[in-house]
Amino acid sequence: MDYVEQRMAQEASKPPGESDSSIFTPLNIALFGILLYTLYALLLRPSTPATLPKEEPAIVFRTFTPHTLLPYNGEAGAPVYLAVRGRVFDVSSGRNFYGPGGPYANFAGRDASRGLACGSFDEDMLTKDLDGPLDTLADLGRDELEALQGWEERFSEKYMVVGRLVAVGEEEKKA
C-alpha cells in the first residue's frame, strides 16, 4: 500500500471521539481575530465624536486706507495683506515670503505697487505719508509697468482679493 492508503486506514480505524482535528486551524484563528477586533471596535474603543474640520472664516470684501491696511502685516498671527494697484490681496498662505522675516515682509500691510514694479524691496519704495494721496505710479516706465502687470497677474491667480485700497477720506466716495 502506498502512504495515502495507509493513512486513510489508520484514520478509519480510530474510534469516533479520538479525531486529530483541532479547532486551531488557520481559518479559525483568522475568524477569531476578526471577531475580537469587531468587538473591540464596537464596545471597548473610546468613541470620539466625529468633528468636521474648522471652516476658514469668511473673507468680506472691504475698503482699506493705508492706515487700516497697516495692521495686516502678519505679526501676532494677523493675516498678511498687501495692495497692488489699488487691489488688496490676502497673501497669508505665502506667509513665509510676505510675513515677518520673509524677503517681501516690508510690503506686508502696505501698497507694494512701486516696489514690485521697480524690483526693489527697499523701504524707500513704500509711501511714507499714509494720510496723503496714493501713489499714482505715473513716473514708471513701460518696462516697470509690464513687470507690475506680471506681479498683479501672479497675485490674481494665486491669492484672493479681499478689498480695495483708497486714500484717506475717499472711503465713502468710492463705495
Side-chain angles (χ1 to χ4, degrees):
M1 276 208 266
D2 67 351
Y3 175 76
V4 174
E5 289 175 358
Q6 281 180 341
R7 188 79 180 113
M8 287 177 60
Q10 285 175 350
E11 289 296 317
S13 66
K14 285 185 182 180
E18 252 182 64
S19 177
D20 252 6
S21 66
S22 171
I23 62 167
F24 295 108
T25 64
L27 179 62
N28 287 345
I29 291 172
L31 290 173
F32 186 68
I34 291 171
L35 177 69
L36 284 178
Y37 177 77
T38 304
L39 286 174
Y40 168 76
L42 293 176
L43 303 175
L44 301 174
R45 185 174 57 186
S47 63
T48 55
T51 57
L52 295 174
K54 272 193 162 182
E55 202 173 292
E56 291 288 323
I59 297 176
V60 178
F61 190 87
R62 59 183 270 211
T63 301
F64 292 91
T65 65
H67 284 291
T68 59
L69 182 60
L70 199 54
Y72 294 95
N73 58 8
E75 292 178 6
V80 184
Y81 293 174
L82 62 82
V84 178
R85 271 202 250 202
R87 294 195 309 171
V88 178
F89 293 92
D90 180 355
V91 294
S92 299
S93 62
R95 183 178 296 274
N96 54 335
F97 292 105
Y98 304 103
Y104 303 96
N106 61 325
F107 293 149
R110 305 292 296 266
D111 182 5
S113 302
R114 181 168 293 277
L116 294 172
C118 296
S120 173
F121 310 112
D122 296 334
E123 290 287 325
D124 62 333
M125 291 287 138
L126 302 172
T127 306
K128 302 291 184 243
D129 181 14
L130 299 181
D131 292 318
L134 296 180
D135 189 351
T136 62
L137 309 171
D139 60 333
L140 294 180
R142 190 172 73 87
D143 291 340
E144 294 165 326
L145 288 173
E146 283 180 16
L148 179 59
Q149 183 177 356
W151 278 101
E152 193 174 12
E153 288 170 1
R154 188 171 307 131
F155 282 124
S156 295
E157 292 170 0
K158 195 170 183 179
Y159 302 112
M160 184 166 309
V161 176
V162 294
R164 62 189 173 102
L165 182 66
V166 298
V168 173
E170 293 183 17
E171 305 95 282
E172 301 297 321
K173 294 178 190 175
K174 292 186 179 182

